[in-house]
Amino acid sequence: MNGISIFPTISGTAIKRALLIGVSGLPLMLAAPAMAQDTGSLQNQTGNPGPVQPAVPTQANNLSAEQAGTPQDASAAPDQALGNAPQTDDVVVRGLRGSLQRNLDIKRTSPGVVDAISAEDIGKFPDSNVAASLQRLPGVSIQRSGSRGEPTGITVRGFGGDFNTTLYDGRRISTGTGGRQIDFSTVGVDFIGQLSVLKTPDVSLASSSIGATVDIAFPKPFDHPGFRLAATASGSIQDRAGKIVPTAGILVSDTFADETLGILSDFIYTRRDTDTNRVYVSGWPGGFYAPCQLTPACTADQLAPANKTVVGWFPQQYGAEQQRVADERVDGRIALQWHPSDELMVTLDNNYSRQTISTAVYGFGIWFNQSDLRNVKLDDNGQTISFTQAGSPTDFTSAENKQVLQTNQTGLNVKFDATENLTFEADGAYAKSWLNPGNVVGSRNGDIGYGGDLGTTLGITIDQDSNKGFPSLTTFGPAGNQGRWADPALIGSHVTVNQTQQNTDVLKQFRALATWKQDNLTIKAGGQYYDDTFKFKNSSTFTNNYWQAYAGYGAPSGRTSGYAPLPGSLVTGNIGLNNFISGFKGSLPPSVLIYSPVAYQQFLTSLGNPQTTNIPAFNYGGGVNGFTGAFDQQTDPGSVLTVNEKTWALFLRVNFDADIAGMPFHFNAGVRNENTNLRSIGQGRVPTGITRSAADPTLLSLSFSPTQPVTTKSNYSYLLPSVDARLEVTDKLQLRFDASRTLTRPGLNLLTPVLNVGNGQRVNALSASGGNPNLQPYLADNFDVAAEWYYRRNSYFAVDFFLKNVSNFIVGGVTRQTINNVVDPTTGQPAVFAVSQQVNGPDATVRGVELAWQQVFGDSGFGFQANATFVDTNKPYDNTDISQSGFAVTGLANSANFVGFYDKNGFQIRGALNWRDEYLSGFGQNQNTGSFGAEPTFVNSSFQVDLSSSWDITDHVSVFGEVLNVNNNKQSTHGRFKNQLLDVFDYGRRFTLGARYRF
């Protein structure tokens, strides 16, 4: 045998055509296939590294037309980036250990620092998506969605989010998320061919990622000629949701017409339900207390601004909620290939995905104002650890949230071998992504409760670090009556918020490449063009002030507006808060209410049109003009943004092989020039007045000037060189040196040319945000020095020292300033807004070391993978700095992963342990209105254990199971100090049982 055949060929033309037509007929064909898995034993085991085995699948951007048409299970990878070594008939490694060997070979023979995971390996990971699989690699960590526990992004060597570029088959993909990075929860691991993480750049591919470039490779028909069929089905259940939900997929592939035509298509449906408990503090603004606030009472004179001299941080809003999430995803793909001769390969493909996340939220929330706090106690850091607040209102919240993220990409690739030495390639693609297309309403919110005469002299105690506990309420309930905490007879209507973020991203790209290969020399030259247009728009009931239509809580609270008591039929149940976050200390009220925000809004609408009928519950004095009964959304002009980027790139890459003192030496040098033109269009307006709500004294309404379009243009050009050198000291030991310059473009949301002041404002929490369309990219000079010891087959140890000198860091500061001299009605003075803005700022150095160890114990079936990353910077965060221009490198954390496995005779079991230390994720909190700039958000250290197992019943049928988050890990975050809890999410365990079939 020359390789591994994943799908055995069968006959049966009628079956083949029926399956192909059935799967291909799906609209535009949906996205990407997980290889079926073979297992077996290691034959001809030796103590020395074996010959390089073929990578499955190879990277499309490195292939000639002839090589693209050669079956991947019968050919060695043709480029050094994937391993160019002679074939062998004496070693056949199958299943998990086969995939590990291929991953090792890719790492070993790449000119730069590359880690990879091939299909069989991914298919057996106990992971929900691509990001979860990638975290097994050295230097790669993940970020999770708190509400779902799903990995949504990756951090590579401390750089996350927009610092990493993700490609599909070497192409950039569009994303409607609002950033440049993709949401990895939209990409399933099923039916994917290979993942490659390029930690040093390939200038012929991209140099626009300081962190790493992730290339997701999908299979093509001629990768595995003949008829192929793979199917998978499973059911999963989260321990708290208590409902089994399905996942099912099918892949069909065939080549025909004398092996000149091929078609592959696949479809997969994924559903995951998660009930997550959350306790939160929306923000810890820093400010100043008057000394009298450390006592039970203050006079008005004592509270004058000049007397506020005590530094302190306080919780802006505190609450708890349960989020019930249904995550549905449809992925699919169709790939057509025409291979009329060895010299020509034409590939047309389409990738489609649509993810719908529906979330029901039930909780409570309590708002605090720093000036209203009494009996304040502070720790040595100035952190508030207890206080009371008289007249505290209580809100019971409910929301129905929906997010639809849809992406479709169509691409055409042509490879032509002009001569034995010269290959031309042309690749073009069009992609579009939508966030909440059509008439999707992103969030429908209900907010009911009591305040005013029923407001509580509420007490709170913060006596635990954020990874151990949450704040405790010491008094609560209407007028302090804890027994009537959730009494429907006292509960009235409050605010009603609907809002929808709608984004689109249209990406057009073209790449031309010429490759010359002769003897030990390879030259690549070409160019790329990107035209990327992002559009943003947010609509809400904040904009038209309809959110306050029935604010006030009603008569039981002593208010003249607000409907109370609400019909008892609206409340359909409750959720107990006892032992709400297992293993965390803290005291919560007894329960929250279950009610539908849609039914609540429909009830208020049924009261009639307050413009034509007198409705006592309506907030006539709250500036709610034009409201006729329906809670319609209105577009916020300040949120409307169009950003167009056009980038031209030219590149040249030269590879040559030589000997130095009898040692094979591989050298790669390249240069890439990128020129970007940017155009940013927004709508500007300024506030002209502020009104305090009579219904709820904590609410403010703003009036604005007419909007005006604002357009800015900018451009920049950078030369991005790279050098990679690899010396094979012995047949087991090799050394590396890599140097490069890379860039990362600013976040799209930072490029708006206007100052945006929202209408949904609260007393003592006025805020605004300003963009900067002239921001320059981050620039990094990168260096790697590595040693890799491949001491036996399927086993190695590697150490890689890296250093990144990053300039043009974008720093976000929060300044307190007046805008258009509007007056704050609560003070009678010019209103002071907390304004967030960004500028290019300081430089920083990031340095670290990656350790990787892979060991397979002969033919025993046992083995492990282990890696650890230690990273540091010369610009760490200083929590004692209360200036408004604080700066630190974000995302840096030590991490370690260990995967132990047994794989033999068709049975596999694997345990994965993943640890990441505490790290600074960014600046800014949900409520960031303090006096000391953008407050930080830290993610606490986490440790999660996952298990998976599979058994091949026959050559065609296997069953598998997995348990995610065996140890019930929680995700928690904190602010400037460890006892400033921001969020703790308890997303529980997930159990999956399924079967795979290959034909």
Side-chain angles (χ1 to χ4, degrees), residues 220-445:
K220 313 291 191 302
F222 280 102
D223 292 346
H224 305 284
F227 181 70
R228 316 293 180 201
L229 169 66
T232 180
S234 65
S236 68
I237 183 172
Q238 187 241 13
D239 48 10
R240 188 178 294 114
K243 179 182 178 182
I244 298 176
V245 292
T247 292
I250 184 172
L251 174 143
V252 185
S253 178
D254 197 9
T255 55
F256 44 88
D258 295 328
E259 298 300 289
T260 61
L261 293 175
I263 180 172
L264 178 149
S265 58
D266 65 75
F267 169 84
I268 188 162
Y269 169 82
T270 304
R271 169 75 181 260
R272 297 184 187 276
D273 285 5
T274 308
D275 286 4
T276 296
N277 292 344
R278 176 194 182 209
V279 176
Y280 67 90
V281 174
S282 289
W284 292 87
F288 296 91
Y289 289 106
C292 69
Q293 292 183 260
L294 309 184
T295 70
C298 290
T299 66
D301 290 341
Q302 289 175 318
L303 288 174
N307 293 327
K308 293 183 177 180
T309 57
V310 180
V311 173
W313 287 262
F314 75 101
Q316 185 77 83
Q317 185 179 22
Y318 180 56
E321 62 188 24
Q322 184 171 100
Q323 303 182 359
R324 300 177 176 179
V325 185
D327 181 355
E328 289 186 292
R329 190 178 69 242
V330 175
D331 298 286
R333 171 179 172 81
I334 185 168
L336 306 173
Q337 286 191 300
W338 181 46
H339 192 39
S341 67
D342 288 344
E343 292 77 26
L344 180 64
M345 172 65 81
V346 179
T347 304
L348 175 66
D349 57 52
N350 180 272
N351 299 302
Y352 173 89
S353 70
R354 182 180 173 94
Q355 181 189 49
T356 302
I357 301 175
S358 302
T359 307
V361 183
Y362 310 105
F364 81 89
I366 299 173
W367 182 268
F368 301 107
N369 291 313
Q370 188 170 22
S371 296
D372 296 336
L373 306 187
R374 303 291 184 269
N375 297 306
V376 173
K377 292 183 179 179
L378 305 172
D379 65 13
D380 292 341
N381 293 320
Q383 161 71 359
T384 302
I385 56 175
S386 68
F387 63 84
T388 60
Q389 176 177 270
S392 301
T394 297
D395 290 316
F396 294 94
T397 57
S398 176
E400 290 186 5
N401 302 327
K402 188 172 185 179
Q403 176 179 292
V404 178
L405 185 60
Q406 180 174 314
T407 300
N408 192 64
Q409 181 187 70
T410 301
L412 177 65
N413 181 275
V414 178
K415 293 185 175 72
F416 175 62
D417 298 340
T419 70
E420 182 179 352
N421 304 109
L422 181 61
T423 297
F424 293 102
E425 179 182 354
D427 188 278
Y430 174 89
K432 185 172 183 178
S433 295
W434 301 259
L435 178 66
N436 297 326
N439 297 319
V440 174
V441 177
S443 177
R444 300 180 188 271
N445 178 276

Side-chain angles (χ1 to χ4, degrees), residues 818 821-824 827-832:
T818 61
N821 290 320
V822 292
V823 174
D824 185 340
T827 65
Q829 302 296 318
V832 179

Side-chain angles (χ1 to χ4, degrees), residues 573-588:
N574 63 75
I575 298 170
L577 299 183
N578 184 40
N579 195 30
F580 195 58
I581 307 289
S582 62
F584 271 61
K585 296 180 180 180
S587 175
L588 294 170

